[in-house]
Amino acid sequence: MNWYDKLNQYFPIEEMKSKEHIEALLTEKSDIYHKDEGKYHVLMYVELHDFIFIDYLFVSKESRGQGLGHKLIEKLKAKGKPILLEVEPIDYNDSDTEKRLKFYKREGFQHAHSIGYRRRSLATKKVNELEILYWSPNSESEDEIYNAMKRTYKLVHTYKDKEMYGESYEKVDKVLTYKQDQSKDIFRELD
């Protein structure tokens, strides 16, 4: 099974970029968009001078619990930059969502509870709400994480969107919101 099929089977359609979109990023933005692939994993990430954004992290069921996900995260942490990612909120009908959050919590990630993320899928037209998680070696503020997410959205998520999908994603200020007084922390739901 190729890398795209692995991602496509694991991630919901609302979160998936088309293969053409990812290949364009790998080719045309190869200075920032990277693929780390092995027999049991696929890691797609963006690396800028001041942060890393994990676009997709897939570890096969056969190798879960053997430390592969931890090793991949450690490899990114060794770069000494904040690491950001989007994750589905807990869905008690899908045990993988809780396992995923527990994994990131063990890896030292924090929930950016001040940042809201709601994007309409071009594939299904459904509004998809995601949570932003981050790991920070230098205690970056959620304001800095928010600005990094906005850059990621513009550089990667909406890259050639009209050309690839026939229509554009919503503007960044509609998709990402920042409210300092939000107090919901998804990690509390895990305890």
Side-chain angles (χ1 to χ4, degrees), residues 43-82:
L43 170 62
M44 311 295 292
Y45 66 97
V46 176
E47 183 174 1
L48 297 175
H49 73 282
D50 55 344
F51 71 91
I52 294 168
F53 172 77
I54 298 175
D55 203 6
Y56 300 102
L57 174 57
F58 164 81
V59 175
S60 70
K61 286 186 179 182
E62 301 84 44
S63 63
R64 287 191 196 146
Q66 297 176 18
L68 179 55
H70 172 73
K71 289 176 187 169
L72 293 168
I73 294 294
E74 285 299 310
K75 187 174 169 182
L76 294 178
K77 284 180 178 178
K79 296 173 182 276
K81 302 174 185 182

Side-chain angles (χ1 to χ4, degrees), residues 126-144:
K126 176 184 167 194
V127 173
N128 195 26
E129 290 193 50
L130 297 172
E131 303 292 345
I132 306 301
L133 303 183
Y134 67 99
W135 174 84
S136 173
N138 301 310
S139 302
E140 278 77 9
S141 69
E142 286 195 16
D143 187 54
E144 291 170 291

Side-chain angles (χ1 to χ4, degrees), residues 25-34 45-49 81 155:
L25 288 165
L26 287 167
T27 304
E28 298 167 21
K29 292 206 174 260
S30 61
D31 57 327
I32 64 165
Y33 198 84
H34 309 284
Y45 66 97
V46 176
E47 183 174 1
L48 297 175
H49 73 282
K81 302 174 185 182
L155 280 172

Side-chain angles (χ1 to χ4, degrees), residues 13 21 34 39 46-47 54 71 85 96 101 107 110 112 117 120 145-146 158 160 170 184:
I13 189 170
H21 189 176
H34 309 284
K39 183 176 180 181
V46 176
E47 183 174 1
I54 298 175
K71 289 176 187 169
L85 58 97
D96 276 350
L101 285 172
E107 293 301 319
Q110 298 176 59
Y117 186 102
R120 182 181 54 83
I145 300 302
Y146 172 68
T158 62
K160 291 190 170 183
E170 297 161 297
K184 176 187 164 199

Side-chain angles (χ1 to χ4, degrees), residues 112-116 142 146 176-183:
H113 52 84
S114 299
I115 303 172
E142 286 195 16
Y146 172 68
L176 284 157
T177 56
Y178 185 72
K179 296 179 185 170
Q180 289 182 320
D181 60 347
Q182 290 189 42
S183 60

